[in-house]
Amino acid sequence: MKTLRYRIRVIALALVCALLAAVLWTVKSVWFSEAVAPEEPSGSVSSPLPDPWAETAPSGSADPLASPEETPAQAGTPSPEPLFDTNGL
Amino acid sequence: MKKNNFPRFRIYAVLLLFFAAVFLLPACRTGDAGMYLVAAAVPGVMLLLLAFPSVFFSPDRPSLSAALPLCGFGIMAAACASSGDALSQCLRCAASLLFLAAGAVLARTFRPSVPAAGLLAVCGLAVLCCPLWFPGASFSLAESGTALLLPAVAALLTTRNRLPALAAALGGMILLLLQQDAGSAAVWGLSLALLFWAASDSLLWSGISLVSAGALFWIFFRVLPPAAGSGVSSLLPRIASMPLFLPASVPESTAVASPDSLFFLLGEHYGLILLLCAVLLLVLILIRGASVAQHARKTFHAVLVLGVMLHLGLRTLLFLCAAAGTFPVSPESFPFLTSFLPDLFTHFFLLGLLSGVSARNEADLDEDVRLIMLAR
């Protein structure tokens, strides 16, 4: 009977500690989900960052992430004439 | 004698005033006759049960003092939907008190024997089979079935019939796994292993019970596919949206949709502090159960109360973990804070078992005092 009483005490203590730990875990999960989640603007759906996949250039193989200087000349588009024609000099 | 009872009467007075105010204020604001009835009935029944318990039967006052406020919280949550729901919840709690008396009588009069344990085990397994006979049914009688199996397993363990006890308990676990009720099966399996550890003299039987419960779990979840649509989402966002104490604006009244919704309705309308109080009240019931079990003279009574503690404690733990999304199961019902009638009956029946053993302990103490007086 002594062993039974000791084991009852152990089980009761473990249960109570587990319950309190579950409460603290839930509080921590709720607290950190509120702290980490970014503040959403009220009503507006647009994101502040520019959408790299937005349709700003003609469709094709153009790389939207590439800088404007690196964009290859489109087929059929005449290349700009040089300012000075050095061939006649 | 008066001096000893005074702190207890102060606590009862605060409790009764709190529940009277919580129902009377909305009743005065809306003029709803149903709410006036609830405001009179809830403190009135609490007063009858707490102040004059020996008139009806001998419940365990400390555990009843913790369980009645939990019922009151359930009625408060139901009142957030409508006064009709609050009245229905009042009637459910009142009907459950009969099971409190039944549990107390069973605990005081039950003599642990193989035939009686066998009868209880058959009843428990039959109750667990019910949802299998009605495949389309959405209800679960897991709590009721395991509550009937509990005295049977305790009696068989006490009379050293360990193999029949293990067979009955594993039979219950198989039935729960067939219904794909993973949460209830896990609670029952863990309770079984801890009961074997506490009650049996040899570690071998504890190991056998733990290994067999774990093996059953593994086999069922390897062999049987999970039920369609059994994915459960975490309820953390719903908990995160709850205020700490009282909301700034009164939330819209929502219907009591499911047994677990009372818990969340309570949090949304009265704040997280009240939910914390509900968990602490349950912890008080567990501590009282441990005290009653330790003072029990007979092994059967101690193991029975230990089983009651395990059932209520592990159920609450499962509910909290399911609500937090830690376990992929849906939260079923918080003890005493549910609208599902079989579960509410079960919780009061288990409290009745605890009360019966507590009354038995007091009777044994009175007998000791009488014998000492006679010896002098």
Side-chain angles (χ1 to χ4, degrees):
Chain A
M1 197 68 185
K2 238 181 183 176
T3 316
L4 176 61
R5 286 187 181 136
Y6 167 74
R7 289 176 179 179
I8 287 170
R9 216 176 297 153
V10 166
I11 290 169
L13 193 63
L15 259 178
V16 168
C17 290
L19 275 172
L20 294 175
V23 168
L24 287 171
W25 175 262
T26 308
V27 167
K28 174 232 168 200
S29 304
V30 165
W31 184 268
F32 279 101
S33 71
E34 279 183 346
V36 167
E39 287 177 14
E40 292 174 5
S42 55
S44 167
V45 190
S46 61
S47 83
L49 296 170
D51 185 3
W53 301 106
E55 291 270 327
T56 52
S59 62
S61 57
D63 184 0
L65 297 177
S67 57
E69 292 82 28
E70 291 170 17
T71 308
Q74 298 290 326
T77 313
S79 55
E81 288 178 356
L83 283 175
F84 303 102
D85 187 5
T86 55
N87 288 335
L89 290 175
Chain B
M1 199 63 182
K2 255 187 185 177
K3 225 177 179 180
N4 286 338
N5 288 338
F6 195 62
R8 194 179 67 195
F9 286 132
R10 271 196 291 193
I11 294 170
Y12 293 165
V14 166
L15 210 62
L16 296 175
L17 280 171
F18 170 76
F19 281 109
V22 140
F23 295 116
L24 210 52
L25 289 173
C28 293
R29 195 169 58 227
T30 58
D32 192 345
M35 284 303 286
Y36 279 114
L37 196 57
V38 172
V42 171
V45 170
M46 280 188 182
L47 179 67
L48 278 173
L49 286 172
L50 292 174
F52 309 107
S54 57
V55 175
F56 304 103
F57 55 95
S58 52
D60 181 51
R61 233 189 233 127
S63 56
L64 196 62
S65 309
L68 286 178
L70 278 172
C71 286
F73 289 163
I75 300 169
M76 276 165 66
C80 300
S82 68
S83 60
D85 282 331
L87 278 169
S88 304
Q89 187 67 13
C90 281
L91 289 172
R92 288 187 200 110
C93 293
S96 308
L97 292 172
L98 293 170
F99 285 80
L100 175 69
V105 165
L106 183 72
R108 286 197 78 166
T109 57
F110 189 78
R111 296 261 182 271
S113 65
V114 175
L119 186 63
L120 271 176
V122 164
C123 292
L125 293 171
V127 167
L128 285 175
C129 279
C130 283
L132 292 173
W133 293 335
F134 305 102
S138 60
F139 60 87
S140 166
L141 293 175
E143 291 213 47
S144 311
T146 49
L148 282 172
L149 275 177
L150 177 63
V153 170
L156 289 168
L157 276 176
T158 310
T159 52
R160 294 184 180 269
N161 292 297
R162 292 173 189 134
L163 193 57
L166 187 65
L170 290 179
M173 197 169 166
I174 288 168
L175 289 171
L176 289 170
L177 288 168
L178 282 172
Q179 297 165 41
Q180 303 206 327
D181 192 347
S184 302
V187 164
W188 180 239
L190 194 55
S191 304
L192 159 72
L194 289 170
L195 281 173
F196 265 82
W197 178 64
S200 60
D201 298 331
S202 70
L203 279 177
L204 175 68
W205 278 100
S206 318
I208 290 171
S209 62
L210 186 65
V211 165
S212 44
L216 267 178
F217 218 82
W218 184 82
I219 289 166
F220 269 81
F221 283 98
R222 277 276 174 169
V223 171
L224 284 178
S230 62
V232 181
S233 56
S234 165
L235 291 159
L236 266 182
R238 194 171 174 187
I239 298 172
S241 66
M242 290 176 187
L244 195 61
F245 187 45
L246 284 169
S249 59
V250 177
E252 285 177 17
S253 54
T254 46
V256 177
S258 59
D260 66 328
S261 60
L262 284 182
F263 184 82
F264 298 104
L265 273 176
L266 193 71
E268 283 160 2
H269 285 76
Y270 293 98
L272 288 169
I273 299 280
L274 212 64
L275 292 186
L276 186 64
C277 290
V279 177
L280 290 175
L281 283 169
L282 208 86
V283 167
L284 286 176
I285 294 175
L286 295 180
I287 293 170
R288 177 59 187 167
S291 169
V292 167
Q294 289 210 298
H295 288 95
R297 297 286 173 92
K298 296 192 174 167
T299 308
F300 167 67
H301 292 138
V303 173
L304 187 65
V305 174
L306 178 64
V308 168
M309 278 167 52
L310 283 169
H311 186 110
L312 292 176
L314 290 174
R315 280 272 160 195
T316 310
L317 190 62
L318 180 74
F319 183 92
L320 292 174
C321 292
T326 315
F327 285 160
V329 293
S330 58
E332 289 184 5
S333 52
F334 192 93
F336 303 101
L337 206 63
T338 176
S339 57
F340 188 50
L341 215 46
D343 284 355
L344 198 55
F345 288 165
T346 305
H347 300 151
F348 272 95
F349 175 73
L350 293 171
L351 194 73
L353 291 177
L354 197 154
S355 298
V357 174
S358 169
R360 194 62 191 260
N361 291 352
E362 283 184 19
D364 289 338
L365 274 174
D366 291 341
E367 181 69 19
D368 286 348
V369 167
R370 194 181 69 82
L371 287 171
I372 290 168
M373 297 293 282
L374 279 174
R376 282 181 184 172

